[in-house]
Amino acid sequence: MSRLKLIQSRIRSAAAPRSLRIQLLSRSLLVLAALLLLIGALQYVIMKDFLYKNQAETLLQMRGLPKELFGSPGAERLNIRVQGFSGEAAPAVPAVPADPAASTAEKNSSDNSGDRPLLFLPDMSIAYISESGMFTDLTGAAGMVSPRLSAVKYAALLEQLKHMVHSGYEVVQDETGREQLVVFRPAGGPGTQYGLIQIGKDTAPLQSIVLRQLLTFAGLSAVALACGLMLYLPLLRRTLHPLNRMVRTVEDINAGNLSIRFPSRQGQTEIDALAQSFNGMLERLEISFEGEREAKEQMRRFIADASHELRTPLTSIHGFLEVLLRGAAANPEQLQASLKSMLGESTRMKKLVEDLLLLAKLDRQPELELRETRLDSLVSEMEPHLRMLAKERTTRFVLTGGVMGMYDGNAIKQVILNLFSNAVQHTDPGQGLITVTLTATPKEALLSIRDNGCGIPPEHLPHVFDRFYRSDASRTRSQGGAGLGLSISQSIVEAHGGEIHVMSQPGEGTAFEVRLPLNARRELRN
């Protein structure tokens, strides 16, 4: 069963054209052919009805039919010969029985008529229906057989034609199977009606006219389709030119050349919308690739910097161990100095590893214990430790009371400690001034740590929060950490839904400003 479905699917895919140009052309021609077919059918129906009505009007306007043809009052029998185009006399047709209520004048007129040969067209039929419903075919013996309707129909027609001529027509078949168009009119005047005349006309000539008109329309339609095809192909090729140009543009795009954009104004609304969508996609891809390249570059720098930072203490520890193995362990003073140096390097390496683990944890999914915390109380609690860290430097604390929000107290303390330590490292030990300011707006808390140190050159400001970034070109480790403190502070602040900014002028000092939301339970960023 699955094999059969596969074969059917392949047949359908092979039968269906894949070219957009062929699809548009075939479907347009199909729609046009369907419209022409519908127009032809409507033309056939309308033209047929028009010809039939016109023929009916012509038959109703016939005048001069002799009264003897339909019987005279008081006459017992009237022999009428019907003659065709050949001139040969046909057998006599018995007249309709006389109506006893007819006038004497009409009776005399009938008696004087005698046998009168009448000329009828071979494609016409005439019949007389008396008021009593008797049907007499006047042309069936020598011409067309008159079709006969039901007695109920004739009675209804007699009732309708008492005061007016019936303007409608009927299309019926006679006994020979020939289709005729028949009309009806009263025999006699409006006041002397004594029966019903049925006049029939063969519909074959009318059908021939309709079919001839239909064939003419079909030929003209075929010519119109052929001419339309010749004109439509160049127009279709020109219409699809913007799409073909987009295809060529797509072929020129690759991972290293994502700056190409499609023309957004090509004169076609749908193509323009498609071009704008593609341009948006290319812009997002370009940003994504650029971000990926930047991430790879950052990873490369991170690995290089981390290796450099770890290699320095490891090299130092390895050197001290070699010195101890060569005999320095026997000297208590050298042993003590070496052990202290190794302890300092191991402590530094331990701090570096802890910072790296913290950064990895913050990048993945920060786990903060948010509690309602007063920032002014938290800074006041840290004030003795910060003054001890500043040593001889002047410190000022300007705190606004009642600044409260949902924070992780330990994480905020680490941010304050990192920023304060950075200020200590870049200010003069004797003349340094560090100011800690806490203010609040209706929506956020503003924590600022400002110093009067050497400042940061403008070219270094965009990179101060990069990992392992140090503004000193020599990358000396005589003072300061590994360059991870500001990166950790930024990650913690952003995990709280806040922002951190730096403002600095060379020779005028540096200010770090932290903005944290107030009284809002923010979801941790993923």
Side-chain angles (χ1 to χ4, degrees):
M1 188 66 179
S2 59
R3 184 178 180 83
L4 179 60
K5 290 183 178 179
L6 179 61
I7 295 175
Q8 292 176 350
S9 176
R10 289 181 178 177
I11 292 175
R12 285 195 297 268
S13 61
R18 296 187 178 183
S19 172
L20 179 60
R21 182 181 302 173
I22 296 177
Q23 289 182 3
L24 290 176
L25 180 62
S26 60
R27 292 173 184 177
S28 300
L29 292 179
L30 182 62
V31 171
L32 184 59
L35 290 176
L36 291 176
L37 183 62
L38 179 61
I39 293 173
L42 291 176
Q43 183 183 15
Y44 175 79
V45 173
I46 295 173
M47 179 64 70
K48 181 179 178 180
D49 183 66
F50 172 76
L51 290 176
Y52 279 19
K53 284 183 178 180
N54 188 44
Q55 185 65 52
E57 292 291 336
T58 301
L59 293 176
L60 289 173
Q61 291 175 5
M62 292 180 62
R63 294 290 186 266
L65 291 176
K67 298 179 182 178
E68 295 87 350
L69 188 62
F70 318 112
S72 301
E76 296 180 356
R77 178 173 293 274
L78 175 64
N79 294 326
I80 300 176
R81 294 196 308 273
V82 182
Q83 182 175 318
F85 283 114
S86 61
E88 297 179 357
V93 179
V96 182
D99 189 348
S103 63
T104 305
E106 293 179 352
K107 173 181 172 182
N108 296 332
S109 175
S110 293
D111 291 340
N112 295 329
S113 62
D115 291 341
R116 181 183 301 175
L118 297 177
L119 182 65
F120 296 105
L121 297 176
D123 58 350
M124 289 182 59
S125 66
I126 298 179
Y128 172 73
I129 299 92
S130 67
E131 290 184 321
S132 62
M134 178 177 290
F135 179 86
T136 304
D137 185 3
L138 302 177
T139 58
M144 267 195 336
V145 177
S146 297
R148 185 168 184 172
L149 305 182
S150 64
V152 177
K153 183 68 176 178
Y154 284 132
L157 290 172
L158 285 168
E159 186 65 25
Q160 292 178 10
L161 293 175
K162 281 184 178 180
H163 305 290
M164 60 177 290
V165 176
H166 182 65
S167 60
Y169 65 88
E170 301 284 344
V171 178
V172 294
Q173 288 185 347
D174 56 20
E175 296 177 357
T176 63
R178 178 182 296 182
E179 185 180 80
Q180 296 187 39
L181 182 147
V182 296
V183 295
F184 307 91
R185 56 178 296 177
T192 59
Q193 178 178 345
Y194 47 82
L196 182 68
I197 304 172
Q198 173 183 299
I199 306 173
K201 175 74 174 178
D202 189 4
T203 61
L206 302 179
Q207 292 281 4
S208 177
I209 295 174
V210 174
L211 290 177
R212 190 162 54 250
Q213 292 290 335
L214 189 61
L215 290 176
T216 302
F217 175 79
L220 293 177
S221 299
V223 173
L225 283 175
C227 296
L229 180 61
M230 296 175 60
L231 295 175
Y232 189 62
L233 282 174
L235 293 176
L236 185 61
R237 188 181 300 109
R238 184 175 180 181
T239 302
L240 295 179
H241 179 68
L243 192 60
N244 295 329
R245 184 165 55 184
M246 290 182 65
V247 172
R248 291 192 295 269
T249 304
V250 170
E251 292 175 351
D252 296 336
I253 296 174
N254 51 52
N257 188 19
L258 293 175
S259 60
I260 298 178
R261 295 293 182 268
F262 297 100
S264 58
R265 293 290 183 272
Q266 303 190 61
Q268 297 179 3
T269 304
E270 294 78 7
I271 299 297
D272 292 345
L274 181 61
Q276 292 176 2
S277 300
F278 270 115
N279 289 339
M281 181 189 69
L282 289 174
E283 184 175 357
R284 291 191 296 271
L285 286 176
E286 185 177 13
I287 294 174
S288 177
F289 274 89
E290 186 64 29
E292 184 178 356
R293 283 194 292 265
E294 185 177 352
K296 287 182 178 180
E297 181 63 23
Q298 289 180 354
M299 180 62 67
R300 187 192 63 79
R301 290 198 307 265
F302 176 81
I303 294 174
D305 292 338
S307 301
H308 186 80
E309 295 290 340
L310 290 172
R311 183 178 60 183
T312 301
L314 287 174
T315 302
S316 179
I317 292 173
H318 182 74
F320 285 120
L321 289 174
E322 285 184 346
V323 169
L324 292 176
L325 290 175
R326 289 174 184 174
N331 189 340
E333 293 181 0
Q334 291 184 353
L335 177 61
Q336 187 69 18
S338 298
L339 290 176
K340 286 183 178 181
S341 298
M342 286 191 294
L343 178 61
E345 294 296 334
S346 64
T347 302
R348 179 181 170 186
M349 188 168 57
K350 177 176 178 293
K351 178 66 168 57
L352 175 61
V353 173
E354 289 177 350
D355 289 346
L356 291 175
L357 291 175
L358 178 59
L359 279 174
K361 185 178 180 181
L362 291 173
D363 287 340
R364 185 177 65 254
Q365 185 175 2
E367 296 178 359
L368 302 178
E369 296 181 1
L370 298 179
R371 295 179 182 177
E372 197 169 30
T373 305
R374 286 187 56 174
L375 289 179
D376 55 319
S377 299
L378 188 144
V379 176
S380 298
E381 181 181 343
M382 295 182 65
E383 184 176 347
H385 178 65
L386 296 178
R387 291 186 183 277
M388 184 183 302
L389 185 65
K391 295 182 180 180
E392 300 300 327
R393 299 171 180 84
T394 303
T395 56
R396 294 177 183 175
F397 292 86
V398 182
L399 307 178
T400 301
V403 181
M404 185 176 295
M406 301 298 299
Y407 311 117
D408 186 332
N410 293 328
I412 298 299
K413 285 183 179 180
Q414 186 172 1
V415 171
I416 297 173
L417 183 61
N418 289 342
L419 297 179
F420 196 88
S421 300
N422 185 74
V424 170
Q425 293 169 10
H426 294 86
T427 54
D428 186 82
Q431 299 179 356
L433 173 62
I434 302 174
T435 303
V436 179
T437 305
L438 178 64
T439 58
T441 65
K443 293 185 178 181
E444 58 186 3
L446 280 71
L447 176 65
S448 174
I449 299 179
R450 182 182 297 273
D451 63 65
N452 63 345
C454 60
I456 303 174
E459 63 271 16
H460 295 295
L461 284 177
H463 307 287
V464 294
F465 295 105
D466 293 348
R467 298 172 186 182
F468 294 109
Y469 185 81
R470 293 162 64 95
S471 60
D472 53 323
S474 63
R475 295 185 60 85
T476 178
R477 272 31 177 202
S478 59
Q479 59 178 351
L484 295 177
L486 293 179
S487 298
I488 293 174
S489 300
Q490 184 185 43
S491 298
I492 292 175
V493 171
E494 291 179 351
H496 282 82
E499 298 177 351
I500 183 170
H501 304 281
V502 59
M503 296 164 287
S504 181
Q505 289 291 336
E508 297 182 6
T510 303
F512 285 91
E513 184 180 74
V514 177
R515 295 175 177 268
L516 296 172
L518 289 177
N519 298 324
R521 296 180 178 270
R522 292 183 176 268
E523 297 289 338
L524 299 181
R525 64 179 178 84
N526 293 328

